[in-house]
């Protein structure tokens, strides 16, 4: 079973850069999108053999998530059940027979870390949500989690220390999440490999591979032995992120 996750940084924009062909070529069982930047009815993009589910932010042109699936879920839920967090279209959960799939676009701490305090609250509440699911069945969580966990996960850790996405606080929250019962599928299979999933649009960062690994597939530890592959698809363009992949 193949899972793809991609922060498209505006689905309407990437639709004009070959998204339909990329989608078809990747041929995933589940294709999760973040930062769709859509409101309902703004795009008509369906694919034969797939159902789709969408979570839109209240604010126009902001955030948003979507999941395309070949497999009918038992149930679908939007958000994490906390009003403070559930107006930005950040989470979709599909319940499948033997696992939950959670697609997330984690809030960015923003310039000047002006949203770091909110991010810390989000992290605690989201971890509790995931753990409540994991108490019932296995969990796969994917998406742009807006943190480079270790120094190996970004090109310039020294100069980026305490910048958004590489603060001590954000990194520690990822450690706490993993310690609560999850594994980072990429690091499990590629413990020393350096590969990135996001590059700034500035200063030809992607051409120079000055990037960050901030897009993840995490799995509850009971799924570890089922992980057969984890990829970062650097050859796919169209966004400032590239897709990431999980095979179970």
């Amino acid at each position: 079973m193949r899972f793809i996750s991609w922060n498209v940084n505006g689905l309407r924009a990437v639709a004009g850069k070959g998204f339909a062909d990329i989608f078809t070529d990747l041929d995933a069982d589940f294709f999760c999108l973040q930062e769709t930047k859509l409101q309902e009815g703004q795009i008509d993009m369906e694919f034969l053999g797939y159902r789709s589910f969408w979570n839109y932010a209240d604010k126009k042109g902001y955030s948003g998530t979507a999941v395309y699936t070949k497999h009918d879920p038992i149930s679908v839920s939007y958000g994490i059940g906390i009003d403070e967090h559930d107006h930005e279209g950040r989470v979709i959960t599909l319940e499948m027979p033997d696992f939950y799939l959670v697609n997330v676009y984690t809030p960015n701490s923003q310039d000047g870390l002006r949203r770091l305090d909110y991010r810390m609250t989000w992290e605690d509440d989201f971890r509790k949500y995931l753990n409540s699911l994991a108490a019932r069945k296995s969990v796969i969580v994917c998406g742009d989690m807006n943190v480079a966990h270790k120094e190996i996960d970004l090109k310039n850790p020294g100069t980026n220390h305490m910048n958004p996405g590489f603060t001590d606080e954000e990194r520690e929250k990822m450690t706490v999440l993993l310690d609560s019962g999850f594994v980072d599928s990429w690091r499990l299979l590629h413990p020393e490999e350096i590969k990135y999933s996001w590059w700034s649009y500035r200063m030809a960062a992607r051409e120079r591979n000055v990037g960050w690994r901030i897009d993840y597939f995490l799995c509850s530890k009971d799924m570890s032995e089922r992980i057969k592959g984890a990829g970062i698809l650097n050859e796919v363009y169209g966004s400032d992120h590239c897709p990431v992949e999980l095979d179970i």
Side-chain angles (χ1 to χ4, degrees), residues 97-158:
D98 63 344
F99 62 87
Y100 290 100
L101 173 62
V102 182
N103 179 27
V104 62
Y105 176 41
T106 299
N108 190 298
S109 294
Q110 299 187 350
D111 292 342
L113 303 179
R114 64 183 183 273
R115 218 179 183 199
L116 181 61
D117 288 346
Y118 171 70
R119 169 73 176 265
M120 295 297 97
T121 301
W122 161 276
E123 292 282 355
D124 290 339
D125 290 340
F126 186 60
R127 184 180 66 255
K128 291 173 186 175
Y129 174 72
L130 294 179
N131 286 328
S132 72
L133 297 179
R136 295 191 283 256
K137 62 176 74 173
S138 301
V139 174
I140 299 169
V141 54
C142 69
D144 175 1
M145 302 189 78
N146 262 316
V147 61
H149 186 211
K150 302 289 188 180
E151 290 192 353
I152 192 175
D153 294 319
L154 74 168
K155 180 69 172 180
N156 295 313

Side-chain angles (χ1 to χ4, degrees), residues 5-245:
S5 173
W6 193 10
N7 180 324
V8 292
N9 194 13
L11 185 55
R12 287 173 292 179
V14 80
K17 301 175 183 178
F19 176 80
D21 290 336
I22 294 167
F23 183 99
T24 301
D25 289 345
L26 291 176
D27 191 27
D29 292 275
F30 298 88
F31 204 119
C32 300
L33 306 178
Q34 304 90 43
E35 213 170 356
T36 54
K37 297 184 177 179
L38 291 172
Q39 301 303 120
E40 187 171 7
Q42 286 189 311
I43 200 167
D44 181 12
M45 185 174 288
E46 297 298 332
F47 296 93
L48 185 64
Y50 287 87
R51 295 179 65 188
S52 65
F53 302 92
W54 303 77
N55 194 2
Y56 307 103
D58 292 354
K59 181 180 177 181
K60 291 183 179 180
Y62 180 74
S63 188
T65 48
V67 178
Y68 290 90
T69 173
K70 291 181 178 179
H71 307 277
D72 289 337
I74 295 170
S75 65
V76 180
S77 61
Y78 303 91
I80 62 174
I82 298 175
D83 186 70
E84 179 183 8
H85 303 310
D86 288 349
H87 294 273
E88 297 184 351
R90 293 191 178 274
V91 178
I92 302 175
T93 302
L94 273 59
E95 181 183 3
M96 306 307 295
D98 63 344
F99 62 87
Y100 290 100
L101 173 62
V102 182
N103 179 27
V104 62
Y105 176 41
T106 299
N108 190 298
S109 294
Q110 299 187 350
D111 292 342
L113 303 179
R114 64 183 183 273
R115 218 179 183 199
L116 181 61
D117 288 346
Y118 171 70
R119 169 73 176 265
M120 295 297 97
T121 301
W122 161 276
E123 292 282 355
D124 290 339
D125 290 340
F126 186 60
R127 184 180 66 255
K128 291 173 186 175
Y129 174 72
L130 294 179
N131 286 328
S132 72
L133 297 179
R136 295 191 283 256
K137 62 176 74 173
S138 301
V139 174
I140 299 169
V141 54
C142 69
D144 175 1
M145 302 189 78
N146 262 316
V147 61
H149 186 211
K150 302 289 188 180
E151 290 192 353
I152 192 175
D153 294 319
L154 74 168
K155 180 69 172 180
N156 295 313
T159 55
N160 281 297
H161 181 232
M162 295 309 292
N163 282 343
F166 199 60
T167 64
D168 295 340
E169 293 88 342
E170 290 163 313
R171 296 169 66 197
E172 175 62 21
K173 291 297 186 185
M174 175 60 87
T175 298
V176 172
L177 174 57
L178 294 173
D179 288 347
S180 76
F182 290 86
V183 295
D184 175 349
S185 63
W186 168 259
R187 277 286 162 245
L188 181 69
L189 299 186
H190 308 274
E192 303 297 332
E193 186 170 350
I194 295 174
K195 209 167 185 181
Y196 307 126
S197 66
W198 174 79
W199 304 261
S200 170
Y201 281 131
R202 300 173 183 171
M203 299 179 68
R206 189 159 187 175
E207 289 75 10
R208 297 184 298 119
N209 200 29
V210 179
W212 300 48
R213 187 177 75 95
I214 60 175
D215 300 271
Y216 295 82
F217 272 99
L218 309 182
C219 299
S220 53
K221 287 183 177 178
D222 60 344
M223 296 196 75
S224 296
E225 293 184 358
R226 297 178 62 186
I227 298 171
K228 302 304 180 187
I232 299 176
L233 307 182
N234 287 169
E235 71 277 9
V236 178
Y237 283 73
S239 169
D240 52 349
H241 296 249
C242 73
V244 294
E245 176 185 12

